[in-house]
Each structure stands twice: as structure tokens, then as C-alpha cells.
Amino acid sequence: MFNFEYLDAELKDKLENPEKHYPDEVCQELCQFIEILRKDGQVRDPDYFRGNISGISGKTFYLQYISDFHRKFIKIIDIEIKTVELLRTQFSIQDTWDDSDVIEVIPQCDPPPKIIKALKLILNGIVDSYELGYELGHRGKERRYISRHGQYTRQALEVLKLVECRKEGRKLVPELTARGERIAKTDDEQLQHKLLTVAMLNYRPVWNIINATTESGKDEFDDSTIQRIAFPEEFRTANTCDRRTSTLKTWIKWISSTSGIPIRLPGGYIQLTLFSQNPSDIQE
């Protein structure tokens, strides 16, 4: 049997108490490989060009270590969580978009807490654009300005597939989808956040930006990255581009701060703990 050494105390705590730091998927897979290492001393041959460092590439993590067969010790050097793979499994991300020529509608909308409020308003029968905008706190000298904000919100709910709109005369009337209704009916704030996060991650511009700015990506999360990924070049000089960019930026920062999904900011990551220990909570 082999004993373990660690590069530092933080890494030691992560490997010896994975349930404190990682979701169930990581813990289950990690424990299997740790047992193999403890018994056999290695999983694959070391890379002699990298100082005899060996690597284990699992579905949810990448682990680096050095085996010392003479001393019967293994030194753990680093562990990196494969965030994108976790997101795909935890949040049922489709990630199979093949319609690359489709130009996505990018809304200009309120922050996520007001999206949740809007769903509750619709559940209670407030579906008129003016009333929706007014109840969400928007004011203006003319009625049309308030109505416009209600329309922006409805558009955001549509692209997130939280409402579907039917036509009544000249008006579009929003109706809640199954996920939208679950968000609107529950008073459990964490469940609301989980369900809204799932909806946002399944919206292609959000997913593509997060994919590019987590550990596996190479981009920093800023306006230029958002616009390059989400907007066709000819749209980047449009008058509303900055406002639509701000919407995506606000949404993704909210996702990261409430769920712990890491994004690469200039100067470092936002990193908490991935929620959804019970995937059934967010399945329909």
C-alpha cells in the first residue's frame, strides 16, 4: 500500500475531504482512482519529459502526481476540475447546436432576480407589457417607455424558454412553460436559482461564453469576449450592442456567484462551490 504526500495543506484537505469541496460526481470518481493509486502506486506510466509526473484524466477531473516506488509514497501535485463536463451532466446541457448560421436574439433585460419576479407576475395574471414593466419598477414620461421594458422582459423569458407567447388579436400574451411555472410557484430561493441557471445555461450565447471563460477555455470574461462570441461582427457596432452585452454579462456573473461556476475574470476567478447535490431537484 502507498501513502500520500501533498503539495500543500489546501490540496491535502481537498483530496482527503472531497465532499467538502466537490459535487458528488467528482467525489465518486475521485475515490475510485485514489484507491487504485493507494494499492498500485500508479494508474498510467509517468511522463519522463515532465519530471516523472503522471496524470489521471477522468470525466470530471484531471489529477497530477509523482510515484515513488522505493519509498512507497505518492506525491499529489494538483487537481483540476473539468467544470464544463460537470455542467453538462448536472444541468442537462444539450450542447448539440449545429445551426451555427442562426443569429441568436440577445435580449436587453433586467437582472435575474427581476426575471423571477416577472414569472411570478405572469403566474398572477399580469401579462400586459405596460403592467409588467410598471410592476417591475420601470417608470417613464410616456406609457410606451414602460411598455417597452415589459416587452424586453417577455423577450428574455422567451429566449430562456420560460414562457411561450400566443397571439390574441394584435397582442402577444406570455404563458409559462413547465420550468417557468416551477420557478414562479416555488418560494425556495435556491431552487429558483437552480432552475433559472439551467434555463440560462441552455441558452446558447450564455453557454458558449461560459465554455470559453472557465478553466478549459482561454478567454477572459469581459465585454470584448462576450461580443466576439455572442454577436455577429456586423452587429457589434449597433446602438443596442452595449446594453445587450450588459445583459449577458449580468446574467453570467449572477450564475457564477449563485452556483459557483468559475469564470476567468481579469486578475483571477470567481469560484465558489457547484450546487445541485440532488440533480432531481432541477429535472422536469
Side-chain angles (χ1 to χ4, degrees):
M1 299 292 284
F2 285 73
N3 294 314
F4 290 102
E5 295 177 342
Y6 302 91
L7 191 64
D8 54 43
E10 181 181 359
L11 186 59
K12 182 176 189 288
D13 187 50
K14 287 180 178 179
L15 271 293
E16 292 187 352
N17 303 286
E19 67 282 350
K20 288 169 46 181
H21 302 276
Y22 304 124
D24 290 345
E25 296 95 322
V26 178
C27 296
Q28 291 168 8
E29 187 180 24
L30 181 60
C31 288
Q32 294 175 9
F33 282 106
I34 290 296
E35 285 306 309
I36 294 172
L37 281 178
R38 194 181 299 280
K39 179 183 175 184
D40 299 331
Q42 68 178 23
V43 173
R44 58 179 300 177
D45 292 336
D47 185 342
Y48 297 106
F49 295 100
R50 297 184 62 230
N52 292 335
I53 295 174
S54 297
I56 298 173
S57 183
K59 288 183 66 176
T60 61
F61 69 88
Y62 180 71
L63 183 74
Q64 295 185 77
Y65 65 94
I66 298 175
S67 299
D68 186 334
F69 285 88
H70 178 70
R71 295 173 56 231
K72 287 282 187 178
F73 267 91
I74 293 171
K75 185 167 186 177
I76 307 294
I77 298 173
D78 188 33
I79 183 170
E80 178 181 328
I81 304 304
K82 296 181 178 180
T83 305
V84 170
E85 293 303 320
L86 274 176
L87 297 181
R88 284 196 184 99
T89 56
Q90 282 200 338
F91 299 128
S92 305
I93 306 301
Q94 300 301 311
D95 197 15
T96 54
W97 298 285
D98 57 5
D99 49 350
S100 57
D101 293 333
V102 171
I103 298 175
E104 295 281 354
V105 173
I106 310 292
Q108 39 187 334
C109 181
D110 291 319
K114 284 199 175 183
I115 290 178
I116 294 171
K117 183 178 180 180
L119 291 170
K120 289 185 174 292
L121 290 170
I122 293 170
L123 180 68
N124 291 321
I126 297 175
V127 295
D128 177 76
S129 294
Y130 172 81
E131 292 179 356
L132 199 56
Y134 190 88
E135 291 296 328
L136 289 172
H138 297 289
R139 301 293 182 266
K141 292 182 178 180
E142 297 183 33
R143 182 185 180 93
R144 62 192 175 99
Y145 296 138
I146 300 173
S147 295
R148 187 178 300 161
H149 282 286
Q151 291 164 5
Y152 291 159
T153 300
R154 188 194 67 219
Q155 184 184 62
L157 295 175
E158 278 191 278
V159 301
L160 296 177
K161 298 181 180 178
L162 297 174
V163 302
E164 294 175 346
C165 288
R166 58 180 172 80
K167 204 163 185 180
E168 282 191 2
R170 297 175 62 185
K171 290 185 177 181
L172 288 174
V173 179
E175 293 182 341
L176 298 176
T177 62
R179 181 175 288 146
E181 188 172 353
R182 284 192 69 193
I183 294 172
K185 284 185 173 180
T186 184
D187 292 322
D188 182 335
E189 187 177 82
Q190 189 180 41
L191 181 57
Q192 289 174 345
H193 290 176
K194 289 178 182 180
L195 292 168
L196 183 53
T197 295
V198 173
M200 288 180 168
L201 290 175
N202 276 286
Y203 173 50
R204 182 168 61 174
V206 168
W207 174 252
N208 287 345
I209 293 164
I210 286 181
N211 207 344
T213 57
T214 54
E215 302 101 314
S216 57
K218 298 179 180 179
D219 295 304
E220 288 188 343
F221 181 71
D222 55 25
D223 288 2
S224 61
T225 296
I226 292 170
Q227 291 177 9
R228 177 173 52 79
I229 292 172
F231 296 87
E233 187 172 356
E234 60 270 24
F235 285 11
R236 295 171 198 167
T237 56
N239 292 335
T240 62
C241 182
D242 287 345
R243 292 199 296 274
R244 297 176 195 275
T245 299
S246 179
T247 293
L248 293 175
K249 195 172 187 178
T250 299
W251 286 7
I252 293 170
K253 279 190 172 183
W254 177 84
I255 290 170
S256 183
S257 64
T258 57
S259 70
I261 295 168
I263 52 176
R264 185 184 293 106
L265 297 173
Y269 283 101
I270 291 177
Q271 171 76 73
L272 300 174
T273 303
L274 283 165
F275 59 32
S276 186
Q277 298 301 321
N278 299 307
S280 60
D281 286 349
I282 57 174
Q283 293 173 356
E284 295 173 352

